[in-house]
């Protein structure tokens, strides 16, 4: 419970109309959850404008409405709070409503196109292994210690986020680790959150359907570092050419990590195989169970962040050497016939290229690589031909198939992908609309010791077609296809 006048102290000059001090027991941005004692935020979204639902919230008996424009009818029993930006106001008010839980945690956020989920998952596993109570907010799942809470977004809305952070504090968590998406930054989902540190992994072509241009996408990521305070640390991958852009205006203390350049946290890749990675890190040779150069960067980012949080370097390395990655991130199974199947969330051109480069580095000369890849519907269409070209160029066979078509025609998505396959690669390219059949086809084409990459969906356990989500797990379907091969 909170008095409205106390919550308004975090806002600059809000305009009030109606009762000056109602008591609020909950906050929401969904008019269906409005009712007595609830504060409703009218948020302007990409598809809907919350201002269109103010009357619905009023009819539900809402106590307060936060909005940018007042409706024509303002009932006397409802308090209207007019603000310049309702999404920004929601961030600050939600933080105050939940008693600013992020200030009671050492909270580290990770942003970048690729590697966010792996980094926060490794940090959470590391801190649990070191004996801490710790929270996790990721694309795959949210966790409070070992209790799993399903995740619907990479970064939750501000009210949900503050509520989860408050639960973590109540559960005795001292640390928390979260993915910070570009959407979340632009939409003020992390406004009002205090970070102890921020990590930048890399930035490549993605989400241009939302941001419009690559420059706007970079600007969105940069907001994270611009808003850090001077007590925080900012750790960036200096091998990425845009890393220094992220640090230009930050008040935080600046640190770098790299495999190629000189950096505050530097490692050298000694060995990269299907068994794992061998790195020389600060004068020590350490073996890790994770695979691939991209995971060498992830491990280095996690090591750097934990060190900056004050952990003992030797304890961190000992723990990290035993940890596995997040579900659906270079997740592999081997059939009875010695075919290796790899499931990976790679859904951007850069991520797909990184995974295929890793496979090229660890495969034997006689092993063929068969790649299954699709592109999501209602998302950035510009990357479709690019991803098909990468898959065809870097594989011995490629099967183009559906990802989550959503509201689009799956065949049309495949046609757009197919347009990116060069004439010289057409002979090794197939299009199979049904994803299950595509995976079965790859297994039938594979021989002993071959490698099958199933890219794009990773940890997801559903497929969305025409607005309907049906159960679908790439790893499970791959295992079922392997089992059928043995019969």
């Amino acid at each position: 419970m909170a008095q409205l006048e106390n919550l308004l102290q975090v806002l600059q000059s809000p305009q009030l109309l109606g009762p000056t001090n109602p008591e609020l027991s909950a906050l929401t941005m969904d008019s269906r959850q409005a009712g007595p004692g609830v504060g409703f935020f009218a948020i302007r979204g990409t598809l809907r404008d919350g201002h269109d639902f103010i009357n619905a919230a009023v009819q539900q008996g809402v106590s307060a409405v936060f909005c940018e424009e007042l409706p024509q009818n303002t009932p006397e029993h409802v308090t209207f709070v007019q603000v310049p930006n309702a999404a920004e106001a929601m961030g600050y008010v939600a933080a105050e409503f939940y008693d600013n839980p992020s200030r009671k945690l050492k909270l580290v956020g990770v942003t970048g196109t690729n590697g966010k989920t792996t980094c926060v998952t490794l940090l959470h596993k590391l801190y649990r292994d070191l004996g801490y109570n710790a929270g996790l907010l990721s694309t795959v799942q949210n966790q409070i210690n070992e209790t799993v809470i399903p995740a619907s977004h990479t970064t939750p809305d501000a009210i949900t986020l503050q509520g989860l952070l408050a639960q973590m504090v109540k559960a005795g968590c001292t640390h928390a680790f979260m993915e910070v998406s570009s959407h979340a930054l632009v939409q003020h989902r992390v406004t009002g959150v205090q970070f102890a540190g921020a990590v930048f992994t890399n930035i490549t072509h993605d989400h241009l359907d939302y941001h419009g241009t690559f420059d706007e996408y970079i600007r969105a990521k940069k907001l994270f570092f611009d808003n850090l305070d001077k007590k925080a640390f900012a750790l960036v991958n200096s091998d990425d050419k845009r890393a220094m852009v992220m640090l230009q205006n930050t008040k935080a203390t600046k640190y770098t990590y790299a495999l190629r350049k000189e950096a505050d946290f530097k490692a050298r890749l000694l060995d990269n195989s299907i068994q794992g990675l061998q790195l020389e890190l600060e004068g020590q040779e350490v073996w890790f169970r994770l695979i691939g150069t991209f995971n060498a960067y992830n491990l280095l980012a996690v090591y750097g962040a934990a060190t900056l949080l004050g952990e003992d370097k030797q304890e961190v390395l000992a723990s990290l050497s035993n940890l596995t990655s997040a579900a659906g991130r270079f997740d592999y199974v081997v059939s009875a016939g010695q075919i290796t199947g790899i499931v990976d969330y790679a859904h951007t051109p850069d991520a797909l290229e990184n995974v295929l480069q890793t496979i090229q580095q660890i495969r034997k000369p006689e092993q063929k690589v068969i790649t299954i890849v699709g592109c999501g519907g209602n998302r950035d269409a510009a990357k479709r031909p690019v991803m098909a070209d990468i898959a065809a160029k870097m594989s011995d066979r490629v099967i183009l198939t559906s990802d989550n078509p959503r509201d689009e025609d799956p065949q049309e998505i495949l046609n757009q992908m197919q347009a990116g396959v060069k004439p010289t690669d057409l002979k090794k390219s197939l299009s199979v609309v049904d994803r299950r059949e595509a995976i079965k086809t790859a297994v039938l084409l594979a021989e002993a010791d071959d490698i099958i990459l199933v890219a794009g969906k990773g940890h997801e356990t559903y497929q969305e077609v025409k607005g309907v989500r049906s159960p679908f797990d790439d790893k499970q379907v791959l295992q079922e296809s392997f089992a059928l091969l043995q019969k």
Side-chain angles (χ1 to χ4, degrees):
M1 303 289 284
Q3 298 293 328
L4 180 63
E5 65 178 2
N6 294 332
L7 298 179
L8 295 182
Q9 291 176 11
V10 297
L11 302 180
Q12 289 188 344
S13 305
Q15 302 299 308
L16 259 68
L17 186 67
T20 56
N21 196 24
E23 191 171 60
L24 299 183
S25 57
L27 305 175
T28 187
M29 54 186 287
D30 185 343
S31 62
R32 294 168 297 183
Q33 296 174 3
V38 176
F40 169 70
F41 289 83
I43 306 297
R44 298 189 193 279
T46 52
L47 299 176
R48 293 185 177 89
D49 185 345
H51 289 75
D52 296 335
F53 298 90
I54 290 175
N55 288 337
V58 169
Q59 289 172 10
Q60 293 273 96
V62 74
S63 294
V65 173
F66 294 78
C67 56
E68 295 166 19
E69 293 180 19
L70 293 172
Q72 288 184 342
N73 298 315
T74 54
E76 291 182 359
H77 64 281
V78 179
T79 303
F80 286 86
V81 183
Q82 190 175 14
V83 292
N85 187 315
E88 183 180 29
M90 186 169 78
Y92 288 123
V93 171
E96 187 68 21
F97 182 84
Y98 285 103
D99 197 23
N100 294 291
S102 62
R103 298 179 188 175
K104 302 164 188 172
L105 295 162
K106 287 185 177 179
L107 175 63
V108 174
V110 180
T111 198
T113 306
N114 303 310
K116 296 187 298 294
T117 302
T118 297
C119 284
V120 296
T121 301
L122 286 174
L123 278 164
H124 183 256
K125 288 183 176 183
L126 168 65
Y127 272 75
R128 292 294 291 148
D129 195 47
L130 293 175
Y132 291 95
N133 287 338
L136 169 70
L137 293 153
S138 80
T139 303
V140 176
Q141 63 191 29
N142 301 321
Q143 271 185 254
I144 299 175
N145 293 322
E146 298 306 309
T147 302
V148 174
I149 302 165
S152 59
H153 291 83
T154 298
T155 310
D157 68 79
I159 297 169
T160 304
L161 172 58
Q162 294 292 346
L164 284 166
L165 292 173
Q167 288 182 53
M168 291 175 188
V169 170
K170 188 176 180 181
C173 293
T174 55
H175 296 74
F177 309 99
M178 68 177 289
E179 294 185 50
V180 180
S181 70
S182 55
H183 293 69
L185 290 159
V186 172
Q187 295 169 6
H188 290 284
R189 293 186 220 163
V190 293
T191 294
V193 177
Q194 181 173 298
F195 289 92
V199 178
F200 168 75
T201 57
N202 50 64
I203 192 162
T204 59
H205 183 119
D206 198 19
H207 299 308
L208 299 197
D209 55 316
Y210 179 80
H211 296 289
T213 66
F214 193 45
D215 284 344
E216 280 300 303
Y217 180 42
I218 293 169
R219 189 189 68 80
K221 294 288 189 190
K222 187 176 180 299
L223 284 172
F224 187 27
F225 296 89
D226 290 351
N227 293 326
L228 293 173
D229 64 37
K230 62 182 180 181
K231 297 178 194 172
F233 67 79
L235 175 63
V236 300
N237 171 10
S238 57
D239 281 345
D240 187 285
K241 62 183 179 181
R242 293 176 179 87
M244 296 304 116
V245 173
M246 298 296 150
L247 298 179
Q248 280 176 353
N249 302 314
T250 190
K251 300 184 198 74
T253 308
K254 303 170 185 178
Y255 297 92
T256 57
Y257 68 96
L259 292 178
R260 299 193 302 269
K261 294 181 179 177
E262 285 304 312
D264 297 299
F265 300 97
K266 177 77 186 287
R268 187 162 65 94
L269 183 58
L270 301 177
D271 190 33
N272 180 17
S273 71
I274 198 71
Q275 281 75 41
L277 286 165
Q278 188 86 8
L279 297 179
E280 183 187 279
L281 205 159
E282 296 197 353
Q284 294 185 71
E285 290 189 13
V286 188
W287 181 84
F288 300 94
R289 294 172 66 181
L290 276 67
I291 299 164
T293 304
F294 59 95
N295 271 324
Y297 280 106
N298 294 334
L299 287 161
L300 195 50
V302 170
Y303 171 77
T307 299
L308 293 172
L309 286 173
E311 302 308 320
D312 180 83
K313 293 181 178 182
Q314 295 304 315
E315 288 185 13
V316 170
L317 288 177
S319 177
L320 279 179
S321 67
N322 287 316
L323 297 184
T324 55
S325 188
R329 270 64 177 177
F330 217 89
D331 202 350
Y332 69 94
V333 291
V334 181
S335 76
Q338 296 305 300
I339 300 168
T340 299
I342 298 168
V343 173
D344 195 273
Y345 190 52
H347 61 287
T348 66
D350 183 67
L352 182 62
E353 188 168 9
N354 283 342
V355 171
L356 283 166
Q357 280 177 348
T358 295
I359 291 171
Q360 296 294 349
Q361 289 164 5
I362 64 176
R363 75 164 175 169
K364 300 170 187 172
E366 66 274 14
Q367 289 179 301
K368 294 197 304 292
V369 177
I370 303 171
T371 298
I372 302 159
V373 66
C375 290
N378 304 109
R379 297 293 187 271
D380 184 3
K383 67 184 180 183
R384 293 171 184 173
V386 179
M387 289 186 67
D389 178 43
I390 289 168
K393 182 171 59 181
M394 301 183 70
S395 310
D396 296 289
R397 296 294 299 266
V398 62
I399 302 175
L400 306 179
T401 190
S402 299
D403 189 287
N404 291 314
R406 299 184 177 88
D407 298 322
E408 287 194 62
D409 177 3
Q411 186 59 58
E412 180 55 31
I413 295 173
L414 291 192
N415 292 344
Q416 292 174 26
M417 294 184 73
Q418 190 79 47
V421 179
K422 290 183 173 56
T424 51
D425 292 327
L426 284 174
K427 285 185 179 179
K428 58 180 179 179
S429 168
L430 289 173
S431 287
V432 180
V433 173
D434 186 285
R435 192 173 181 89
R436 188 180 300 272
E437 288 303 315
I439 293 173
K440 286 181 182 177
T441 301
V443 170
L444 289 171
L445 289 172
E447 298 174 348
D449 289 331
D450 284 350
I451 299 171
I452 297 172
L453 170 65
V454 187
K457 286 172 54 59
H459 64 280
E460 294 177 351
T461 55
Y462 64 86
Q463 186 176 37
E464 186 176 341
V465 183
K466 299 296 181 187
V468 178
R469 287 190 173 190
S470 303
F472 198 100
D473 183 322
D474 278 352
K475 189 174 180 180
Q476 182 181 330
V477 173
L478 186 60
Q479 289 172 318
E480 289 170 356
S481 300
F482 280 158
L484 286 172
L485 196 63
Q486 304 310 311
K487 290 183 178 179

